[in-house]
Amino acid sequence: MDFSFSEEQQMLQQSVSKFISQDYDWDSRQALSKSATGFSAANWQLFAELGWLSIPFKEDDGGFGGSAVDLIVTMQEFGKGLLVEPFLANTILAGTVISEAGSSEQKSALLTPLMEGSLQLAFAYAEPQSRYELANVQCSAVINGDEIVLNGHKSVVLNGAAAEKILVSVRTSGESCDREGISLIWVEASAAGVRRECYASVDGQRAADIWFDDVVLPASNLLGSAGEAIDVIEMTIDRAALAICAEAVGAMEMSLTKTVEYSKIRKQFKVTLSSFQALQHRMANMFIELAQAKSILLMAAMEMDSLNGRAPKALSAAKSRIGKAARLVGEESIQIHGGIGVTDELDVGHYFKRLTAMQFLFGSTDHHTARFAAS
Amino acid sequence: MNIDFSAEELAFQGEVSAFLAAELPSDIRDKAANNIELTKENFVSWQKILAKKGWAATNWPVEFGGTGWTPTQKYIFDNECAKVGAPEAIAFGLKMVAPVIYTYGNDEQKQRFLPDILASNVWWCQGYSEPNAGSDLASLKTTAVRDGDDFVVNGTKTWTTLGQHADWIFCLVRTGAAEVKNQNAISFLLIDMKTPGITLSPIYLLDGSPEVNEVHFDNVRVPAKNLIGEEGKGWTYAKVLLTHERTNIAGVAKSKKRLQDLKEKAMQTSDGLSGANAMLSDNFAWQQKIAELEIELLALEYTELKTLADVSTGQAPGPESSILKIKGTEIQQSIDMLNVELAGYYALPFVRDQFVDGFEGVAIGPDQAAGSAPTYFNNRKATIYGGSNEIQTNIICKAVLGL
Ligand SMILES: Cc1cc2nc3c(=O)[nH]c(=O)nc-3n(C[C@H](O)[C@H](O)[C@H](O)COP(=O)(O)OP(=O)(O)OC[C@H]3O[C@@H](n4cnc5c(N)ncnc54)[C@H](O)[C@@H]3O)c2cc1C
Ligand SMILES: Cc1cc2nc3c(=O)[nH]c(=O)nc-3n(C[C@H](O)[C@H](O)[C@H](O)COP(=O)(O)OP(=O)(O)OC[C@H]3O[C@@H](n4cnc5c(N)ncnc54)[C@H](O)[C@@H]3O)c2cc1C
């Protein structure tokens, strides 16, 4: 066992941290979140230049062969700034699908421009009835010679608005919840029969519901073998879950820091809030939650990197525990701020909103508790 | 003691439910069912229907136009209203300022203000809190200085809920000299919102709604006859009002209805699985959480009933009102979170217009999902306002446990 970060990991951490603290102040973040596209194209280009968009991918595919630990190092810093750029949707979700299931042609067509920052992607996997079950796929794709015909409805697709191409989990055979018969395809967002309703999400990010109505695409848009995609999908969502756990840890850290700072400034009854032991204990409790979250996050990332088959269970443990911590830290931060905490103006409320969304993305706290128990 | 309704009480329940079936306007009923925000007109028009029936002021003495109901009747009324989604009375006039006016006001003030409150002709708002006087309300700084027949008011009130709708504001102001002990220099003043020198600025909350305001007073001249009771006694009056406010905040009837709705919605919500356990209502973790909450609510319901019974025999609601406030708001917030859990991924889309009347866009996700997260965010206020839950806990420490 070794709990120390490598020199590269420390450099990565410093470089992301520098960007967030120097170039990503609160007002700019809010302006981006409220802008037409919801994020900055210039920042995205910068991430590409700094190599951040290439970190997780294999060296053979043109990436840096980054580990799960590299991923959490990056995501924690992003979480501190409540980053709105679609890193998770592009680099983690879409990127993992392509890198795990794509052919070399598909990688050059999709992964290379993704790493260069010139292509926006999304991965559509959830459906209105699927809840958190990844094998619950009803979107249908009929493969007919060299054509595929796609029909169905995908829910809450992250980066669904900006995406130029959309990766979709589809059923090519079997019944709704069968693990066999699920495939991965990609489709042009502008293709005939694709309809998108785009919206902001409660945490200031962007998403879309997407309907496919007899969309015709070439059979070469299939990634991997037909009917055998469930393992790649699960692995992708586990990676995304790990990433969002790390983001939550960063967001919790900021939320706690801001709350402690505020409690030392705000005075009632002629003394600072920080002098009330009732509040001191609650902040200490938030700190303990955060410490537990950090530990279980590291554990899950290290399990993932050791490729020992224990990753799914470890990941569920992390998602469950961090979800619980995120709820407590988010809610307590608001409570200790008092009225100012429920206003749109103050940043702490936005950390709370993102911490809430994180409890549900890629499987809720309850879902992962149950998956932990069952595995 | 007897836990069952009497024959008269059952008859009363029938009367209330028949009245609601006949009189609750269908547009309001539909809005409640579809999570659409009610407008000021919706609240006022429903209140006027109740007033016509003589049912507007369930907490007032009969002599001023109250219903004179027993606690059980009030309980029945609240529950029947919650079941059909009838709008709650806007508390500021009927439940907050009116008890102060009929208890401490003079005859002229009673005649001048109570009938318009009863008929919902006037919308009131509450001007207690200030930027630096939240939990420590007694440190408020807004001044009212006597000048002839007027008080001249200067200062800033904040968190004024729905001040944008209000015709009048009831304020705590500092009338005494600075050296007088904090509380003994505070007075209770009624102010017409149209008076020159008053400006409002909206504060947006986490759900994007401009629900509260900052209210600025710049040399606002208020007739001295708008002072309630004695100068310097405002704190005493306000404390009585605050205990009423807290008792109102528990919201037991509404929580019962929301829990019932949650159980029904869970039966129609896929848990993502196939076969026998396909619905969220089959999920054991979910069932457990619902049951625990239902049990907690049941205990609170009887705490409330007992408190109301005590109040009806003349005892002021004491520290029990703190229990009602703490537990009532905790339960509300647990229900808020369960609604988010029910919505799953569909808690995420934020289409604010979707909750406002006249929305013509495409609704995202099932009806019950939209609004679940914004409501959860917004209602974090419940443990903060009306005297925060920490302050309620302090009251129990001091007043009950003698700490
Ligand atoms: C089973 C057992 C084994 C033990 N073994 C040993 C031993 O081997 N050697 C040894 O030296 N001692 C031992 N102790 C003693 C132990 O360390 C003391 O019980 C402990 O320090 C608490 O002191 P106290 O019991 O006097 O409680 P108190 O100090 O009187 O505390 C009572 C309560 O008040 C709380 N409290 C006190 N101060 C504060 C504060 N400032 N803020 C908030 N809360 C506060 C405490 O947390 C506690 O809940 C043992 C005790 C037990 C119960
Ligand atoms: C949505 C909303 C609507 C409101 N509507 C109205 C209205 O219509 N009219 C009106 O007058 N006011 C209104 N309020 C104001 C409300 O009453 C205050 O927010 C409340 O009194 C808390 O004050 P504060 O926000 O300044 O928080 P603070 O007093 O600064 O408190 C911050 C935190 O410290 C805690 N704290 C403070 N003192 C202690 C202590 N001694 N021990 C332990 N913990 C402590 C508090 O519980 C809280 O968690 C509203 C508030 C909100 C959020």
Side-chain angles (χ1 to χ4, degrees):
Chain A
M1 277 199 194
D2 175 10
F3 287 108
S4 57
F5 290 115
S6 68
E7 212 168 291
E8 288 80 20
Q9 282 161 348
Q10 290 177 36
M11 278 165 58
L12 176 63
Q13 193 263 338
Q14 280 159 13
S15 114
V16 185
S17 165
K18 188 162 154 257
F19 168 77
I20 293 294
S21 58
Q22 294 182 2
D23 303 318
Y24 215 73
D25 61 282
W26 182 246
D27 291 340
S28 326
R29 188 269 180 192
Q30 284 305 79
L32 286 178
S33 172
K34 288 177 178 145
S35 69
T37 54
F39 70 94
S40 154
N43 282 343
W44 195 249
Q45 218 41 59
L46 180 71
F47 295 178
E49 282 157 28
L50 292 168
W52 297 349
L53 305 184
S54 310
I55 293 170
F57 304 112
K58 295 177 204 107
E59 283 166 24
D60 286 351
D61 296 336
F64 292 115
S67 65
V69 174
D70 295 329
L71 175 62
I72 64 169
V73 164
T74 313
M75 291 306 297
Q76 280 187 62
E77 298 306 317
F78 283 163
K80 291 181 189 168
L82 289 185
L83 191 88
V84 289
E85 278 67 23
F87 183 83
L88 197 62
N90 273 301
T91 315
I92 310 302
L93 287 171
T96 307
V97 166
I98 302 161
S99 109
E100 294 301 321
S103 64
S104 53
E105 292 80 41
Q106 286 167 333
K107 284 178 185 171
S108 15
L110 302 172
L111 198 55
T112 308
L114 184 146
M115 289 189 281
E116 288 165 355
S118 60
L119 177 64
Q120 286 291 322
L121 294 171
F123 176 34
Y125 62 93
E127 299 182 5
Q129 83 295 338
S130 70
R131 211 160 168 85
Y132 311 116
E133 300 298 332
L134 299 171
N136 187 326
V137 177
Q138 292 181 4
C139 257
S140 84
V142 177
I143 306 176
N144 217 335
D146 49 12
E147 253 181 26
I148 302 176
V149 181
L150 169 63
N151 277 289
H153 174 188
K154 289 288 179 183
S155 307
V156 197
V157 181
L158 303 181
N159 201 37
E164 297 156 81
K165 299 183 194 323
I166 305 160
L167 296 143
V168 192
S169 66
V170 292
R171 183 156 293 287
T172 40
S173 64
E175 299 292 320
S176 171
C177 293
D178 290 353
R179 290 177 63 81
E180 289 79 35
I182 299 168
S183 308
L184 287 161
I185 58 169
W186 69 267
V187 54
E188 295 284 352
S190 59
V194 178
R195 182 166 73 83
R196 291 190 273 190
E197 287 294 334
C198 306
Y199 43 80
S201 49
V202 291
D203 51 358
Q205 314 253 336
R206 295 301 161 95
D209 266 41
I210 307 181
W211 288 262
F212 305 101
D213 186 12
D214 283 334
V215 181
V216 180
L217 38 132
S220 57
N221 285 19
L222 181 75
L223 291 97
S225 319
E228 293 172 14
I230 189 68
D231 291 343
V232 170
I233 295 172
E234 284 180 348
M235 186 198 162
T236 302
I237 299 305
D238 277 353
R239 267 192 104 74
L242 180 79
I244 211 158
C245 280
E247 200 188 334
V249 164
M252 280 191 269
E253 195 160 338
M254 284 305 276
S255 195
L256 172 61
T257 305
K258 285 173 187 295
T259 303
V260 169
E261 278 171 6
Y262 182 77
S263 78
K264 291 182 186 169
I265 299 166
R266 170 74 172 171
K267 282 188 167 178
Q268 288 291 281
F269 306 100
K270 299 195 170 71
V271 294
T272 60
L273 299 180
S274 60
S275 62
F276 300 124
Q277 196 181 48
L279 300 186
Q280 288 174 356
H281 282 193
R282 302 216 345 220
M283 290 185 273
N285 219 2
M286 290 161 71
F287 173 78
I288 294 170
E289 289 293 299
L290 175 61
Q292 290 285 79
K294 280 182 176 169
S295 303
I296 208 155
L297 173 69
L298 264 185
M299 179 282 296
M302 292 191 299
E303 290 286 25
M304 209 171 252
D305 280 337
S306 79
L307 305 173
N308 54 19
R310 293 194 299 251
K313 182 164 187 167
L315 187 279
S316 277
K319 186 73 176 49
S320 165
R321 185 62 188 84
I322 291 171
K324 191 173 151 221
R327 179 170 178 190
L328 183 123
V329 171
E331 290 181 351
E332 290 286 69
S333 296
I334 301 298
Q335 184 68 23
I336 293 169
H337 274 80
I340 194 86
V342 293
T343 63
D344 183 65
E345 192 189 324
L346 204 71
D347 48 9
V348 73
H350 297 268
Y351 282 89
F352 167 56
K353 289 195 204 182
R354 182 72 180 146
L355 284 169
T356 302
M358 287 163 173
Q359 294 164 48
F360 297 93
L361 283 167
F362 316 123
S364 69
T365 306
D366 278 359
H367 172 81
H368 281 286
T369 311
R371 194 174 83 146
F372 178 85
S375 54
Chain B
M1 286 202 186
N2 183 353
I3 202 163
D4 295 315
F5 289 150
S6 67
E8 295 79 43
E9 286 161 349
L10 283 172
F12 177 73
Q13 186 178 29
E15 187 190 353
V16 174
S17 93
F19 170 80
L20 291 168
E23 299 292 336
L24 182 62
S26 57
D27 61 328
I28 297 182
R29 193 187 294 260
D30 290 349
K31 280 187 178 180
N34 295 314
N35 262 330
I36 306 288
E37 284 177 8
L38 296 177
T39 60
K40 177 181 176 180
E41 285 65 38
N42 290 144
F43 282 110
V44 171
S45 66
W46 174 238
Q47 217 39 62
K48 284 182 180 291
I49 292 170
L50 287 175
K52 222 175 107 200
K53 174 80 180 166
W55 285 0
T58 58
N59 56 324
W60 298 17
V62 183
E63 54 173 317
F64 302 118
T67 52
W69 284 341
T70 63
T72 310
Q73 283 178 301
K74 278 185 217 167
Y75 167 82
I76 290 172
F77 180 77
D78 285 348
N79 276 277
E80 294 303 313
C81 286
K83 274 189 208 162
V84 295
E88 294 168 279
I90 294 289
F92 304 109
L94 281 159
K95 300 197 168 167
M96 293 166 115
V97 74
V100 173
I101 296 175
Y102 64 64
T103 312
Y104 302 107
N106 58 35
D107 284 343
E108 192 265 327
Q109 289 167 334
K110 289 177 199 170
Q111 275 152 28
R112 188 164 155 222
F113 293 111
L114 293 179
D116 277 340
I117 295 176
L118 192 62
S120 280
N121 292 333
V122 167
W123 187 295
W124 285 82
C125 65
Q126 180 188 27
Y128 281 14
S129 307
E130 298 181 5
N132 290 312
S135 297
D136 184 11
L137 187 56
S139 69
L140 61 92
K141 291 203 168 56
T142 297
T143 54
V145 176
R146 189 66 184 250
D147 181 26
D149 287 341
D150 294 337
F151 284 105
V152 179
V153 178
N154 278 289
T156 300
K157 293 293 176 182
T158 193
W159 309 119
T160 317
T161 300
L162 300 180
Q164 67 269 38
H165 295 338
D167 306 300
W168 280 75
I169 181 167
F170 55 94
C171 286
L172 288 179
V173 291
R174 190 161 290 285
T175 42
E179 66 268 20
V180 179
K181 189 172 170 275
N182 255 347
Q183 281 98 317
N184 297 339
I186 292 174
S187 301
F188 198 103
L189 197 59
L190 311 181
I191 305 177
D192 185 339
M193 291 290 278
K194 287 187 294 294
T195 322
I198 300 181
T199 46
L200 241 72
S201 33
I203 300 173
Y204 289 85
L205 298 186
L206 285 178
D207 59 346
S209 68
E211 187 178 286
V212 297
N213 301 269
E214 252 189 16
V215 186
H216 310 275
F217 298 85
D218 182 15
N219 285 318
V220 176
R221 297 194 77 87
V222 181
K225 64 174 182 177
N226 291 5
L227 181 81
I228 295 286
E230 286 174 52
E231 209 175 299
K233 286 278 172 66
W235 185 253
T236 316
Y237 308 154
K239 271 208 305 204
V240 173
L241 194 157
L242 280 174
T243 40
H244 280 283
E245 179 181 352
R246 272 162 214 153
T247 317
N248 291 329
I249 281 176
V252 171
K254 189 171 177 194
S255 288
K256 272 169 70 180
K257 160 76 172 149
R258 293 178 73 206
L259 251 181
Q260 187 56 38
D261 285 351
L262 260 175
K263 292 203 298 197
E264 283 163 20
K265 288 181 217 161
M267 288 191 257
Q268 297 146 23
T269 300
S270 165
D271 200 24
L273 303 169
S274 59
N277 297 323
M279 292 295 156
L280 182 59
S281 52
D282 303 315
N283 182 311
F284 181 70
W286 173 266
Q287 290 168 352
Q288 187 86 5
K289 281 197 271 198
I290 293 278
E292 281 172 5
L293 207 50
E294 232 180 317
I295 292 166
E296 191 71 40
L297 185 56
L298 201 55
L300 188 67
E301 184 171 11
Y302 281 83
T303 305
E304 184 180 62
L305 281 167
K306 210 181 147 296
T307 308
L308 289 175
D310 290 348
V311 172
S312 76
T313 62
Q315 303 171 39
E320 294 79 13
S321 71
S322 296
I323 304 177
L324 289 175
K325 203 283 167 156
I326 294 171
K327 280 290 151 195
T329 52
E330 283 177 3
I331 291 170
Q332 287 166 28
Q333 293 182 339
S334 299
I335 296 174
D336 295 334
M337 185 38 129
L338 284 178
N339 271 307
V340 177
E341 292 191 38
L342 179 105
Y345 286 139
Y346 276 119
L348 295 177
F350 181 59
V351 186
R352 186 167 149 69
D353 292 347
Q354 199 166 329
F355 328 123
V356 180
D357 207 9
F359 171 67
E360 284 175 352
V362 177
I364 300 296
D367 282 346
Q368 68 254 26
S372 60
T375 302
Y376 165 68
F377 299 144
N378 175 291
N379 203 39
R380 300 313 299 175
K381 70 188 175 190
T383 44
I384 295 168
Y385 65 23
S388 75
N389 286 23
E390 289 73 29
I391 296 300
Q392 303 308 318
T393 310
N394 288 347
I395 291 174
I396 291 175
C397 292
K398 263 198 202 158
V400 185
L401 304 176
L403 303 172

